[in-house]
Amino acid sequence: MRVGIGYDSHRFAEGEGRKLILGGVEIPSPRGLVGHSDADAVAHALTDAVLGAAGLGDIGQMFPPTDPRWRDADSLDLLKRAYLRVVEAGLTFVSADITVILEQPRLARYLDDMRENLAGALVSGYSTVSVKAKTNEGMGWIGRGEGVAVLAVALLEQVRA
Ligand code: MG
């Protein structure tokens, strides 16, 4: 068994015009997150956890933000592409646990769809991916609504050498 950790953060855009996408779900919000891709910090943190467990570096190395191919990329697609590399390395996904930290909007009603999307990208069932949401109790940059932070851990199993 191999465990990996992932972290990501993205800033909210100043004005309107960016969608808020988390875990592949478009969430109604007056503001979206800034990023080269779709800025899906949940998918990014999980991708880093999965790559980390496999010892395959990180999302920035695999999909450099300087590469125009990944501009406005669907981050679930990046997760799928990363997982293909993991499978090629002889590993298979077992489970992941994710905590999203932001003040607004509240995510409770979107968590199940996020789980479905993320597990699907890893060719796994809903129950293998847990997604939890918390506020930062009004403290610091998250508390001021400047952005979102996401923590993820992933477990993989080596099934081939
Ligand atoms: Mg990111």
Side-chain angles (χ1 to χ4, degrees), residues 12-55:
F12 277 109
E14 292 293 337
E16 298 186 6
R18 288 276 306 179
K19 291 176 181 171
L20 177 61
I21 312 257
L22 291 172
V25 179
E26 187 177 334
I27 295 163
S29 168
R31 297 183 305 162
L33 297 166
V34 178
H36 183 73
S37 66
D38 62 8
D40 184 339
V42 174
H44 295 175
L46 179 57
T47 302
D48 263 2
V50 168
L51 289 175

Side-chain angles (χ1 to χ4, degrees), residues 8-10 37 39-41 44 59:
D8 197 27
S9 59
H10 280 261
S37 66
D40 184 339
H44 295 175
I59 189 170

Side-chain angles (χ1 to χ4, degrees), residues 90-92 157-161:
L91 294 131
T92 191
E157 185 175 8
Q158 187 91 44
V159 288
R160 288 184 290 107

